[in-house]
Amino acid sequence: MVKHFLVLCLLLLAGCSAPKVAKVKYQEIFDFSTIQKYSLYKRDDEFNEWQLISDATRNDIEFAIENALDGQGFVYSSLEDSDVVITYHLVSGRVSGLKKYNHGVNYCSYCLVNATTGSRADKLAIGPGHIIIDAVNARTKRSIWRSGYPLNIKAKDNSRVAQDKIHHVIALMLSGLGNPKLPLQKS
């Protein structure tokens, strides 16, 4: 009896600590295999004025994006020559910032399919402390792919710990950009 109780406790603990999977929504009609080149908005672009993020955090996020995408064979390119523009948003408690960001990337939740459920109606559970990454079609200026995941950066985290969390989460999130129908890596 005690043995069964211990096994049950271990299973419950394992279930609570099971790795999370980054959630994705994507546009079904877009051929993601055609993506070869990506870009980011330049620092002086008005897009970056929508959110106050320190230069150090921006550097960490953008470096993590470049590492993740370069590691998958994508090539960094100019805005004019890219297939997609990668954007990001750190979600705070203010809804107005997220609304402005969504408007800026022409995000349409119902236009994108949830990769996990296959449903357009299922939204991504995104809240304060999450990072959102969008792939915006460079031609149409519309979000064709979105992933959201909690960063879990704590006030006590030093810059190295925060940087490691950013790099880990972004690599996890971007792992499925080339084929969003495949399951993403687990953390």
Side-chain angles (χ1 to χ4, degrees):
M1 180 72 169
V2 171
K3 187 177 184 181
H4 292 298
F5 178 74
L6 288 174
V7 170
L8 179 63
C9 288
L10 285 173
L11 287 173
L12 287 173
L13 281 174
C16 293
S17 63
K20 295 180 181 177
V21 175
K23 304 296 184 196
V24 169
K25 288 193 83 169
Y26 66 95
Q27 190 177 68
E28 279 184 300
I29 61 172
F30 187 84
D31 183 0
F32 286 86
S33 68
T34 64
I35 298 174
Q36 295 176 356
K37 297 184 247 177
Y38 73 96
S39 64
L40 300 164
Y41 285 114
K42 295 183 189 234
R43 289 291 172 93
D44 60 354
D45 193 287
E46 73 176 55
F47 187 86
N48 289 319
E49 294 175 10
W50 297 344
Q51 179 174 225
L52 295 175
I53 301 175
S54 73
D55 284 338
T57 302
R58 274 195 198 282
N59 288 342
D60 287 343
I61 292 170
E62 291 176 7
F63 187 61
I65 289 170
E66 290 176 20
N67 277 341
L69 293 178
D70 292 351
Q72 294 180 55
F74 297 108
V75 177
Y76 186 86
S77 181
S78 67
L79 279 170
E80 300 78 26
D81 197 34
S82 64
D83 302 311
V84 293
V85 179
I86 305 299
T87 63
Y88 55 90
H89 181 77
L90 295 177
V91 181
S92 66
R94 295 179 29 219
V95 175
S96 63
L98 182 55
K99 282 184 179 181
K100 191 181 268 190
Y101 172 77
N102 284 341
H103 180 72
V105 298
N106 292 309
Y107 179 68
C108 170
S109 180
Y110 192 74
C111 300
L112 306 180
V113 173
N114 187 307
T116 305
T117 66
S119 169
R120 292 181 186 282
D122 290 341
K123 297 181 179 184
L124 298 178
I126 295 174
H130 281 71
I131 185 169
I132 296 171
I133 298 179
D134 281 276
V136 175
N137 184 323
R139 188 179 52 77
T140 65
K141 308 293 188 234
R142 176 172 291 284
S143 175
I144 55 168
W145 180 94
R146 172 173 281 190
S147 182
Y149 201 83
L151 272 177
N152 292 327
I153 295 177
K154 298 175 179 29
K156 67 177 182 159
D157 291 344
N158 63 37
S159 61
R160 182 53 158 174
V161 170
Q163 184 181 48
D164 288 346
K165 287 180 179 181
I166 288 169
H167 282 257
H168 173 74
V169 165
I170 289 176
L172 172 74
M173 293 169 73
L174 289 172
S175 66
L177 180 60
N179 189 349
K181 295 176 187 175
L182 295 177
L184 295 178
Q185 299 174 6
K186 295 189 177 193
S187 64

